[in-house]
Amino acid sequence: MLRTEERQRLARERREEREKQHAAKETQILEKERKAKLQYEKQLEERQRRLKEMKQKEEQRRAAVEEKRKQKIEEEKERYEAALHRTLERNQRLETRQKRWSWGGSVTPDSESKTGKQHSSKRSPSTANLKQGEAAVSKRLSSSAALLNASDRTRRSQLSPLDSSVISRLLAPTQASLARSKSAATLSAD
């Protein structure tokens, strides 16, 4: 009887010990799972944060590149328009000089023998003609400049930005051609 009770008591103690160990293992497993889950969530948040930062940096870089490209196109457009304006002004000056020389007329023996009064009266129609001619040339040049600008804008709006920039570069006068034009203008002024 005592042996049976002793055996049962020992068996009960062993069972309780096993249950305690099993409960401890379960607790350890649950704790490990909880830590692993926390670690995973932390890594996931960190990864998302890094991705967000990378995306923001990429967007900022793209915006900066786009702004730089727009600025470059605007500068090229301004350079082209300034060169076109200088060319038109130079052509206008040259045309005006040529017209002045051609409108002056030739000196004939008859005109030399006439009095100063008649000579001065001859000069005034020539001056009036000169002013009319200048006005006509100015009007013609400004209308052709407007046409050039309008057709250039229309063409540019149909082209891609890359094509537009290539065309602007091709249309812009080179340093050599500007230097030649400048020296020709200086020679003609002399």
Side-chain angles (χ1 to χ4, degrees):
M1 193 75 176
L2 282 173
R3 277 186 182 175
T4 307
E5 283 178 9
E6 186 67 25
R7 250 188 257 142
Q8 285 176 348
R9 188 179 61 77
L10 287 172
R12 192 171 51 247
E13 283 177 0
R14 281 197 298 268
R15 194 170 51 244
E16 285 172 359
E17 188 62 34
R18 275 198 305 270
E19 283 173 0
K20 279 182 186 175
Q21 287 176 354
H22 185 67
K25 279 184 182 177
E26 287 257 338
T27 307
Q28 283 179 348
I29 289 169
L30 288 172
E31 186 61 26
K32 278 184 182 178
E33 284 177 356
R34 190 182 66 79
K35 284 182 179 177
K37 190 177 178 183
L38 283 173
Q39 182 70 19
Y40 174 74
E41 285 172 357
K42 194 175 177 182
Q43 286 175 349
L44 194 64
E45 282 175 10
E46 183 65 24
R47 191 178 300 137
Q48 285 174 344
R49 188 184 61 78
R50 279 201 307 267
L51 284 171
K52 193 175 179 182
E53 282 178 2
M54 283 170 61
K55 193 176 179 182
Q56 283 176 345
K57 282 180 185 176
E58 183 63 24
E59 283 173 2
Q60 286 172 352
R61 190 189 64 79
R62 274 198 203 126
V65 166
E66 184 64 22
E67 185 60 36
K68 200 172 181 181
R69 189 185 65 78
K70 281 182 184 174
Q71 191 177 0
K72 197 172 180 182
I73 288 171
E74 192 61 36
E75 285 171 1
E76 286 176 1
K77 184 182 172 186
E78 285 172 7
R79 269 203 308 272
Y80 169 71
E81 286 173 356
L84 184 66
H85 185 68
R86 283 195 304 271
T87 306
L88 288 171
E89 281 182 351
R90 187 176 61 242
N91 288 346
Q92 187 177 3
R93 282 198 304 270
L94 287 173
E95 245 182 83
T96 306
R97 277 195 201 118
Q98 288 170 353
K99 298 248 173 159
R100 273 189 201 148
W101 290 359
S102 65
W103 288 336
S106 60
V107 179
T108 60
D110 277 350
S111 65
E112 282 177 2
S113 64
K114 291 183 182 175
T115 61
K117 190 176 180 184
Q118 289 171 334
H119 194 63
S120 65
S121 68
K122 266 206 167 193
R123 239 186 256 152
S124 57
S126 163
T127 309
N129 287 347
L130 176 64
K131 285 180 182 172
Q132 286 174 353
E134 282 179 353
V137 167
S138 171
K139 192 173 178 183
R140 196 169 67 222
L141 279 172
S142 64
S143 65
S144 53
L147 281 171
L148 271 171
N149 283 339
S151 64
D152 184 44
R153 272 191 225 105
T154 307
R155 265 181 270 143
R156 272 196 194 164
S157 65
Q158 294 168 352
L159 295 173
S160 72
L162 179 64
D163 292 341
S164 177
S165 120
V166 169
I167 287 171
S168 293
R169 283 199 198 116
L170 289 173
L171 288 175
T174 61
Q175 293 293 331
S177 70
L178 287 173
R180 281 196 300 274
S181 301
K182 203 172 189 180
S183 63
T186 308
L187 285 173
S188 64
D190 292 345

